Amino acid sequence: MSFFKRLKDKLIGNPTEEEKVEQVGEEQASELKLEESAEPALLETTNVEAEATLEESTASDDRYNFVIAEDAQEVVVEEEQQQEVQELAVVEEPVKEKKPSAWSITQKFKAGLEKTRNSFTSKVNDLVARYRKVDEDFFEELEDLLLQADVGFETVMELMDKLRFEVQRKNIKDTNGIQTIISEKLVEIYEQGEEDLIDLNMQPNGELTVILFVGVNGVGKTTTIGKLAHRLKSEGKTVVLAAGDTFRAGAIDQLQVWGDRVGCEVIKQSEGSDPAAVMYDAIRAAKNRKADVLICDTAGRLQNKVNLMNELEKVHRVISREIPNAPHEVLLALDATTGQNALVQAQTFKEVTNVTGIVLTKLDGTAKGGIVLAIRNKLHIPVKFVGLGEKMDDLQPFDAERYVYGLFAEGLDKELQNSEE
């Protein structure tokens, strides 16, 4: 299936009527304001006409006119009361949580990758505009742009080889449609033979799933735990949180705030206590409450790798002793804004523990979103979630096709339109 076909069937989808309403543009909004501003003028005209009529009828029957005015006033009061009731009903109506559509999820990726797209893809567009022919000079400049976006040296070299082969195989002479080929090859490189990369290793119903979070301080680990808990709760699962980062000042309180916000119980001990003991208590509590998922926070003192390794090993040992084959997921939180430094952190944690997936935070805040491809291609660890904003539902399962579309949105939209014509 071609990339364009997947775009239409999976990525773009169709916005619902409610989503269309939310996407009202500035022109429509200004039209609405003009209509609203026109209403008082109509009312004034109506009032003037009414007054003239009343003056004419006053000569014939003052008492009758007084009754009419009084009745009119009562009607106005009744209309105002009805309007107030309607406004209160709108405010008090409970907001139902809607399942996001394919279209809205794709828009999140598009908006979240705006900084990368503005810096990287705009340069690619300029490159395509300057080069009418696909030659070696074009490939060399494209290579430099990809490296600047932190795609990674190995990934860029592999992509260049694939592009050169594809251009030669299809006998492509000009740059028209080249962004589609680049997109297809990037998705191929990321997925290369592996399926279900983003799915969490959830246990069958009735069994506890343990997810262990690791990562250095300051990458947004605790916030990501809260957002993941919210996501799992919205799927109908009972979630318990374990405050295992007992050494960082305020870490326990921060997790408690998130627990209160999303409605999850937090199992904790005093600051400075043994993280392994917290995990033991949390597993017992989660089992007693028949919880579906236990999400465990851990310390992130990477500057002392030996102590960190010993601590994580002890935590892992306690968890696996209480629940065989647990933890079922070890998710490493990385800050996308740190670029290549995130890759170094991933390598270090991979040596310390068996990382099963990456959660890349703050992807919306970096101009070097290509780090996703570098991590996947160099470390062979799938990126399972990405942070695309600060809202509760802005933690999204990673999707290679939506990600690549987010990188090349404008160019791909234009090529898609041309292909349909």
Side-chain angles (χ1 to χ4, degrees):
M1 186 184 289
S2 70
F3 191 79
F4 281 153
K5 178 65 175 171
R6 289 199 300 271
L7 269 178
K8 292 181 70 176
D9 294 350
K10 175 185 176 182
L11 305 186
I12 302 300
N14 291 312
T16 64
E17 290 301 321
E18 292 178 356
E19 286 170 337
K20 286 178 182 177
V21 171
E22 289 176 1
Q23 296 294 322
V24 173
E26 290 182 3
E27 291 183 4
Q28 291 172 299
S30 62
E31 286 175 7
L32 289 172
K33 287 180 180 177
L34 285 172
E35 288 176 7
E36 289 173 1
S37 63
E39 286 178 5
L42 289 171
L43 287 172
E44 287 175 8
T45 306
T46 306
N47 288 337
V48 169
E49 291 174 356
E51 286 173 5
T53 305
L54 284 172
E55 284 175 4
E56 289 174 6
S57 60
T58 301
S60 59
D61 193 344
D62 290 339
R63 184 180 177 185
Y64 179 70
N65 289 332
F66 176 75
V67 172
I68 291 176
E70 193 176 45
D71 290 343
Q73 188 176 3
E74 288 177 1
V75 170
V76 171
V77 170
E78 285 180 6
E79 287 179 351
E80 288 177 352
Q81 289 175 342
Q82 287 177 359
Q83 187 176 357
E84 287 177 2
V85 170
Q86 288 173 354
E87 288 175 356
L88 285 171
V90 171
V91 172
E92 292 173 0
E93 185 180 354
V95 179
K96 294 181 181 179
E97 191 164 342
K98 304 167 200 161
K99 188 176 180 182
S101 67
W103 182 84
S104 64
I105 294 173
T106 303
Q107 295 307 304
K108 282 185 181 292
F109 274 82
K110 183 177 178 180
L113 287 161
E114 184 178 4
K115 285 191 177 180
T116 299
R117 190 167 62 252
N118 287 344
S119 64
F120 164 62
T121 317
S122 60
K123 294 176 182 176
V124 174
N125 291 335
D126 292 341
L127 179 64
V128 171
R130 283 190 290 110
Y131 282 87
R132 294 298 178 187
K133 294 183 178 180
V134 179
D135 53 20
E136 196 57 33
D137 290 337
F138 172 82
F139 281 125
E140 286 182 6
E141 282 204 43
L142 177 61
E143 185 179 309
D144 290 339
L145 291 178
L146 290 165
L147 289 171
Q148 290 171 25
D150 271 358
V151 173
F153 181 77
E154 292 86 351
T155 310
V156 171
M157 293 302 103
E158 183 178 349
L159 175 62
M160 289 300 105
D161 290 341
K162 286 179 177 291
L163 285 176
R164 286 185 175 95
F165 176 78
E166 194 71 9
V167 167
Q168 186 176 3
R169 185 177 72 86
K170 293 183 176 180
N171 195 27
I172 296 171
K173 299 298 183 182
D174 57 46
T175 55
N176 184 33
I178 195 68
Q179 290 194 49
T180 306
I181 299 174
I182 296 172
S183 303
E184 285 182 312
K185 296 309 168 187
L186 285 174
V187 172
E188 283 179 15
I189 289 172
Y190 187 89
E191 293 180 341
Q192 45 192 359
E194 299 189 45
E195 296 180 357
D196 300 323
L197 296 174
I198 64 172
D199 292 341
L200 291 174
N201 182 24
M202 303 298 292
Q203 300 307 291
N205 291 336
E207 296 184 22
L208 180 64
T209 300
V210 181
I211 300 174
L212 189 68
F213 261 84
V214 297
V216 300
N217 297 334
V219 297
K221 178 158 50 76
T222 307
T223 300
T224 303
I225 290 172
K227 290 181 178 180
L228 180 59
H230 168 73
R231 184 178 188 85
L232 293 172
K233 276 208 69 179
S234 66
E235 295 172 1
K237 301 187 185 302
T238 305
V239 183
V240 174
L241 308 180
D245 189 357
T246 59
F247 297 101
R248 180 170 65 86
I252 298 173
D253 293 336
Q254 186 184 0
L255 189 65
Q256 183 63 63
V257 168
W258 271 103
D260 295 339
R261 189 178 298 175
V262 300
C264 295
E265 184 177 0
V266 178
I267 308 302
K268 59 186 178 181
Q269 292 186 12
S270 59
E271 194 172 306
S273 57
D274 184 4
V278 176
M279 299 305 167
Y280 176 80
D281 288 348
I283 290 172
R284 297 291 294 272
K287 283 182 175 180
N288 291 337
R289 290 151 181 77
K290 300 188 183 307
D292 300 305
V293 183
L294 172 65
I295 306 179
C296 307
D297 194 7
T298 61
R301 298 161 298 153
L302 194 60
Q303 62 269 23
N304 194 334
K305 194 167 74 171
V306 176
N307 286 350
L308 179 63
M309 181 163 48
N310 293 337
E311 186 179 293
L312 289 176
E313 186 181 346
K314 185 179 178 181
V315 166
H316 198 287
R317 189 167 61 248
V318 168
I319 293 174
S320 59
R321 186 183 65 205
E322 296 299 314
I323 303 177
N325 301 320
H328 305 100
E329 288 281 0
V330 179
L331 300 180
L332 171 60
L334 295 174
D335 184 344
T337 62
T338 60
Q340 288 295 315
N341 190 36
L343 188 61
V344 174
Q345 290 176 26
Q347 288 175 309
T348 304
F349 272 97
K350 191 180 179 183
E351 296 169 6
V352 170
T353 185
N354 180 31
V355 177
T356 59
I358 302 290
V359 180
L360 201 60
T361 67
K362 309 174 189 177
L363 190 60
D364 59 309
T366 181
K368 296 189 175 183
I371 192 66
V372 174
L373 294 160
I375 291 171
R376 176 74 189 98
N377 206 37
K378 188 166 185 178
L379 300 180
H380 305 289
I381 302 174
V383 176
K384 297 209 170 186
F385 290 94
V386 288
L388 299 172
E390 297 179 359
K391 295 180 182 177
M392 195 90 76
D393 61 347
D394 283 338
L395 181 71
Q396 289 292 325
F398 180 75
D399 185 294
E401 289 166 353
R402 284 191 171 95
Y403 165 75
V404 171
Y405 171 73
L407 287 178
F408 297 95
E410 284 80 8
L412 288 175
D413 286 343
K414 190 179 291 184
E415 291 183 10
L416 179 60
Q417 187 177 357
N418 292 337
S419 69
E420 289 178 341
E421 292 173 355

